[in-house]
Amino acid sequence: MDLAFISKYAQLYAQAAKLTVILAAAGIALSLVIGLVCSLIRYYRLPLLKSLARAYIEMSRNTPLMIQLFFLYYGLPRAGLRLESVTCAIIGLAFLGGGYMAEAFRGGLEAVSRVQVEAGLSVGLSRPQLVRYVILPQAFAVAVPAITANTIFLMKETSVFSIIALADLVYVFKDLVREGHSNENNLLLVLFYLIIILPVSLFFAYLERRVRRAGFGA
Amino acid sequence: MLDSALNVFRQGRNLARLMEGLWVTLEISAVSVLLSMLLGIVVGLLMTTRKPLWRAAARLYLELVRFVPILVLLYIFYYTLSRNWGINLEAKIVAVLVFTLWGTAEMADLVRGAATSLPAHQRESGRAIGLTESQINRYVIIPQAVRRLIPGVINLTTRMIKTTPFVFFINVPELTKVGQQIVEVAGMKNYMASFWVYAFIFFIYFAVCYPISRFSGFLEKKWEN
Amino acid sequence: MSTAQPVLRIRDLHKKYDRLEVLHGISLDVPRGRVLVVIGPSGCGKSTLLRCINGLEAIESGDIELNGESISSGKTRWNLVRQKIGMVFQSYDLFPHMTVMGNILLGPLKAQGRDRREVTREAEQLLDRVGLLDRKDSYPRQLSGGQKQRVAIVRALCMNPEIMLFDEVTASLDPEMVREVLDVMLGLAERGMTMLIVTHEMAFARAVADKIIFMDQGVIVESAPPNVFFENPVSDRARRFLNIFQFDGVKKEEQPHVES
């Protein structure tokens, strides 16, 4: 094991990991918002909007992130819309994730029974209050495992960001490969992905336990 | 504007090349899915056995493969195999190898889920009407497990197809790579080339994956009970 | 019928599901402090009637007035009206993600915007009255069916409703839990709560009602004080309906009867 290599380049990887985490956090947060809005539109069957939401969800779920990014970064500027690579990365991840998160929330919303809605109405809650206090907390609890899976999936998807000229972990790896391939380089790449993904996974495992203990739906 | 679009695809063999790229994409996906299914059933059944060592080994494999991005696996295998061990596999083979490694983990988890979600009384009621264990497996357990499995397997297929653009990174001439090559050449003369080519590829992926997703959704609904 | 304005007045109410007419011109008054019990065979429309009153079902025609104000015009602000109508359902409808106290406080705090301290005190008094004060921090899943229904009643009461609607609240309970819920309702009647009750518990109906409303096939067939209705029903349909319970009654002779 070449410790000199590791200590020399760990700093480079750490910087790349920081960029990945920031982009992933922004993209995933946005995708949660998009997903929630789309699922509520479909839950309330808002005319026109529900068809748009449906079309968007199908598009985002049935196309690869790489192609979405290629189009955003290399295609759109030719049509007059030039976006920075950071913006592209966040928009791309949010576009992809929004569809997945919408399906996760939809599963949760569908699990909230009709009686719960009526019970909420009969204590005089308004529609927004009903959503806020009765429907969403229960829907969210049901949706947590799907949200977890989506979040891990989206974090892994960030690995393609180097195609739009972002200095992420894969970019650093490729850079170092040019000077000669080594096991240490492999190790650093895997290690840094585990460092950013494992805590997220542990956090969600904790969250899942918490919601299950609350015993929603019992 | 539309003229520019038509030109890109009419020029030379561009459209034919894209279709050849699509073929490579589908080929890699299909082979990987088939191999993943076979190996995944084995690993998945290992996870349901009572032997703790086997279960732990399968679990470790599954978690590791699922936490590391597929692109990372792809790179590491590609470079390690060729540069460290001198094994010069065709990039396409490396791709199938890595996708199968990942697909097997996903498939194993599906198999484990399907096998453990069947209520115990299914087996018991089979015994109660005098079936042998193998008859119970054949007529009661496997048909139900397969129904639970199939939507997930179809879903895995679309995920596999959407993962294939990663082989772009190791220079396999699939749809995305071909697209990029066309853009590089045509882009010099045709300003809008990249816009149209990538939009077209986006549409192709959608046209391939959407029907498959719908089919899976249809089966899921049909077999709900 | 008293000359004072009734809490609830329904005139010629019609309700259809697609083509099927389930309520066919229902008219009734619920005077303040009175208890009306609606009985009738399954599918006679009695549950639908309650759901229409609370705006959970849209009506085709007719008029519903609460304290003299129509609540069946298109402009009704249902969330305000529902604060004055307490409703308890057959299925346990407690919010599973909130404690007993959380369930009770939600409406008063969020819908009525009342003071937390005041409502909490009231909720504790009500819980004490139904014998569940020690369960105020429990979650619904930790309660028995009878306890859940008692909490559901308290949740509705805590809104200080003008009238309480009960939709077969004991129908999915185990027999030994029915009594504890009915006792709570009897207690409410004694305290002068205005109530409209749909039930299959005939002995209870007789004990609690000021008036029995017998419905069949979407119309009110008979409406009379309980002793008159149960001793001398006028219509054939009511006699036939009561006969079913008579037969049951022979077999259940050993069981305690609810006394008023």
Side-chain angles (χ1 to χ4, degrees):
Chain A
M1 176 103 26
D2 184 354
L3 286 176
F5 178 93
I6 291 179
S7 61
K8 187 172 169 197
Y9 294 115
Q11 186 64 32
L12 222 53
Y13 269 108
Q15 267 170 15
K18 196 174 142 198
L19 177 71
T20 302
V21 168
I22 291 170
L23 294 176
I28 291 167
L30 257 180
S31 69
L32 281 168
V33 174
I34 296 172
L36 186 61
V37 171
C38 286
S39 65
L40 284 174
I41 286 173
R42 293 189 68 188
Y43 183 72
Y44 284 110
R45 301 196 174 79
L46 302 181
L48 189 64
L49 283 178
K50 75 170 183 213
S51 312
L52 286 176
R54 176 90 204 273
Y56 156 69
I57 290 166
E58 294 297 351
M59 270 211 287
S60 82
R61 285 172 59 90
N62 286 298
T63 51
L65 176 62
M66 256 180 76
I67 310 304
Q68 295 164 8
L69 291 176
F70 266 124
F71 183 74
L72 284 173
Y73 192 69
Y74 298 105
L76 274 188
R78 300 300 168 100
L81 184 62
R82 193 170 299 277
L83 298 170
E84 272 181 58
S85 40
V86 169
T87 320
C88 274
I90 294 172
I91 292 179
L93 200 60
F95 178 86
L96 177 77
Y100 282 85
M101 293 300 185
E103 289 296 282
F105 283 120
R106 188 170 70 109
L109 287 171
E110 279 175 2
V112 180
S113 72
R114 182 80 205 132
V115 187
Q116 285 290 312
V117 174
E118 292 183 348
L121 290 175
S122 75
V123 295
L125 297 182
S126 65
R127 283 277 164 186
Q129 283 174 331
L130 185 70
V131 171
R132 161 85 179 73
Y133 296 107
V134 177
I135 299 177
L136 278 187
Q138 295 183 52
F140 180 72
V142 177
V144 164
I147 293 173
T148 307
N150 291 345
T151 305
I152 305 284
F153 163 70
L154 291 172
M155 292 205 68
K156 287 164 66 182
E157 284 288 302
T158 60
S159 62
V160 301
F161 283 167
S162 63
I163 56 159
I164 53 171
L166 281 169
D168 73 341
L169 293 168
V170 169
Y171 184 94
V172 174
F173 175 85
K174 277 193 290 187
D175 219 30
L176 296 180
V177 160
R178 242 176 260 140
E179 300 171 13
H181 178 256
S182 68
N183 286 328
E184 286 76 11
N185 199 15
N186 284 347
L187 182 73
L188 281 173
L189 180 63
V190 173
L191 207 62
F192 270 93
Y193 268 109
L194 289 182
I195 287 173
I196 61 176
I197 290 176
L198 269 180
V200 176
S201 163
L202 289 176
F203 166 74
F204 274 101
Y206 164 78
L207 192 65
E208 269 177 52
R209 266 204 313 282
R210 278 288 306 272
V211 219
R212 212 175 312 137
R213 195 142 29 116
F216 295 178
Chain B
M1 181 145 165
L2 259 172
D3 268 2
S4 69
L6 291 174
N7 273 333
V8 183
F9 300 114
R10 246 193 246 133
Q11 221 162 47
R13 292 187 61 248
N14 280 357
L15 192 59
R17 282 175 63 203
L18 281 169
M19 290 302 124
E20 284 161 19
L22 174 63
W23 179 249
V24 174
T25 294
L26 295 178
E27 201 184 0
I28 293 175
S29 311
V31 175
S32 307
V33 166
L34 282 176
L35 289 175
S36 301
M37 279 170 64
L38 291 175
L39 295 170
I41 289 173
V42 176
V43 178
L45 291 177
L46 278 184
M47 295 181 75
T48 60
T49 61
R50 298 220 173 84
K51 299 198 177 78
L53 195 70
W54 282 112
R55 267 168 52 182
R59 185 92 232 161
L60 184 73
Y61 162 67
L62 192 124
E63 295 298 335
L64 210 77
V65 169
R66 291 173 102 195
F67 271 127
V68 178
I70 301 160
L71 181 58
V72 170
L73 293 174
L74 200 60
Y75 260 135
I76 288 178
F77 269 75
Y78 184 65
Y79 287 113
T80 308
L81 284 178
S82 66
R83 302 207 183 168
N84 285 26
W85 300 346
I87 306 170
N88 274 310
L89 289 178
E90 203 187 322
K92 214 156 92 175
I93 306 288
V94 177
V96 169
L97 193 75
V98 170
F99 289 171
T100 304
L101 201 67
W102 165 68
T104 299
E106 296 286 348
M107 182 71 191
D109 205 39
L110 291 173
V111 170
R112 186 190 57 84
T116 54
S117 68
L118 284 181
H121 66 75
Q122 287 289 321
R123 190 170 282 281
E124 281 159 15
S125 24
R127 285 189 193 130
I129 57 169
L131 297 179
T132 65
E133 290 302 307
S134 65
Q135 282 173 326
I136 294 173
N137 282 336
R138 177 160 167 212
Y139 297 111
V140 182
I141 306 296
I142 293 176
Q144 291 189 64
V146 165
R147 282 188 173 199
R148 281 164 202 235
L149 211 52
I150 285 182
V153 172
I154 297 175
N155 190 19
L156 180 62
T157 308
T158 64
R159 285 162 71 198
M160 196 66 88
I161 295 172
K162 285 180 289 175
T163 305
T164 51
F166 289 173
V167 301
F168 169 94
F169 286 89
I170 56 170
N171 299 313
V172 177
E174 49 63 74
L175 192 52
T176 316
K177 190 80 206 173
V178 174
Q180 192 212 26
Q181 288 164 349
I182 290 175
V183 166
E184 265 172 21
V185 176
M188 288 183 242
K189 281 180 287 181
N190 188 335
Y191 184 73
M192 290 299 287
S194 63
F195 181 88
W196 292 117
V197 170
Y198 291 130
F200 182 67
I201 295 176
F202 182 91
F203 171 77
I204 290 183
Y205 271 105
F206 182 78
V208 172
C209 291
Y210 179 64
I212 304 178
S213 305
R214 282 302 295 267
F215 183 59
S216 154
F218 163 77
L219 286 183
E220 236 169 291
K221 216 165 239 154
K222 191 176 148 196
W223 289 339
E224 213 156 358
N225 301 313
Chain C
M1 192 66 38
S2 78
T3 48
Q5 186 184 59
V7 176
L8 186 74
R9 171 191 289 260
I10 300 173
R11 285 293 173 269
D12 199 26
L13 179 65
H14 287 260
K15 165 71 190 169
K16 279 184 205 162
Y17 287 118
D18 294 324
R19 286 236 178 103
L20 183 74
E21 192 157 51
V22 274
L23 295 179
H24 193 85
I26 300 288
S27 299
L28 63 82
D29 288 343
V30 187
R32 185 167 303 282
R34 295 298 168 84
V35 179
L36 266 66
V37 174
V38 185
I39 62 176
S42 301
C44 69
K46 51 195 194 303
S47 286
T48 307
L49 175 64
L50 293 199
R51 295 169 62 81
C52 288
I53 295 169
N54 207 10
L56 294 173
E57 305 282 351
I59 64 172
E60 261 65 52
S61 64
D63 189 39
I64 305 174
E65 284 177 11
L66 187 69
N67 284 334
E69 276 177 55
S70 173
I71 56 172
S72 51
S73 74
K75 285 173 250 150
T76 305
R77 294 192 54 192
W78 276 110
N79 61 319
L80 298 183
V81 172
R82 286 183 186 123
Q83 292 172 19
K84 297 181 199 153
I85 304 177
M87 182 156 181
V88 185
F89 300 81
Q90 173 184 340
S91 49
Y92 321 127
D93 59 326
L94 296 181
F95 305 124
H97 58 300
M98 295 177 179
T99 61
V100 165
M101 203 39 128
N103 264 279
I104 299 171
L105 295 185
L106 182 64
L109 293 185
K110 302 302 172 190
Q112 295 178 322
R114 281 157 63 191
D115 174 61
R116 178 180 283 273
R117 281 228 316 275
E118 170 217 321
V119 187
T120 308
R121 205 177 323 119
E122 191 182 334
E124 283 172 350
Q125 277 168 9
L126 288 168
L127 276 175
D128 196 24
R129 231 162 77 193
V130 303
L132 288 175
L133 186 55
D134 56 330
R135 307 309 300 269
K136 67 182 164 121
D137 296 319
S138 302
Y139 280 91
R141 69 175 188 286
Q142 299 164 322
L143 304 179
S144 71
Q147 290 172 327
K148 281 186 213 174
Q149 286 300 56
R150 282 186 278 160
V151 172
I153 293 172
V154 169
R155 185 175 69 184
L157 281 177
C158 210
M159 307 282 294
N160 299 325
E162 302 278 333
I163 181 171
M164 289 280 288
L165 311 178
F166 292 88
D167 187 6
E168 298 191 36
V169 289
T170 58
S172 23
L173 291 180
D174 290 336
E176 68 269 26
M177 291 168 183
V178 169
R179 180 65 191 250
E180 65 190 48
V181 175
L182 296 183
D183 279 344
V184 168
M185 292 162 71
L186 279 169
L188 288 179
E190 277 167 18
R191 285 164 178 263
M193 172 59 73
T194 312
M195 301 197 273
L196 186 58
I197 301 172
V198 168
T199 186
H200 282 300
E201 304 284 336
M202 291 304 140
F204 168 71
R206 192 166 182 168
V208 79
D210 292 305
K211 193 172 173 187
I212 300 283
I213 310 282
F214 175 68
M215 279 179 71
D216 192 17
Q217 295 177 348
V219 293
I220 293 176
V221 180
E222 223 170 307
S223 137
N227 53 345
V228 176
F229 177 79
F230 284 106
E231 304 297 334
N232 295 305
V234 181
S235 65
D236 265 359
R237 279 195 269 184
R239 263 197 296 275
R240 272 202 306 274
F241 178 72
L242 286 175
N243 269 339
I244 302 168
F245 290 91
Q246 214 55 54
F247 179 67
D248 274 353
V250 173
K251 293 210 284 187
K252 284 181 182 167
E253 224 160 29
E254 297 297 304
Q255 286 197 355
H257 284 268
V258 178
E259 305 290 340
S260 57

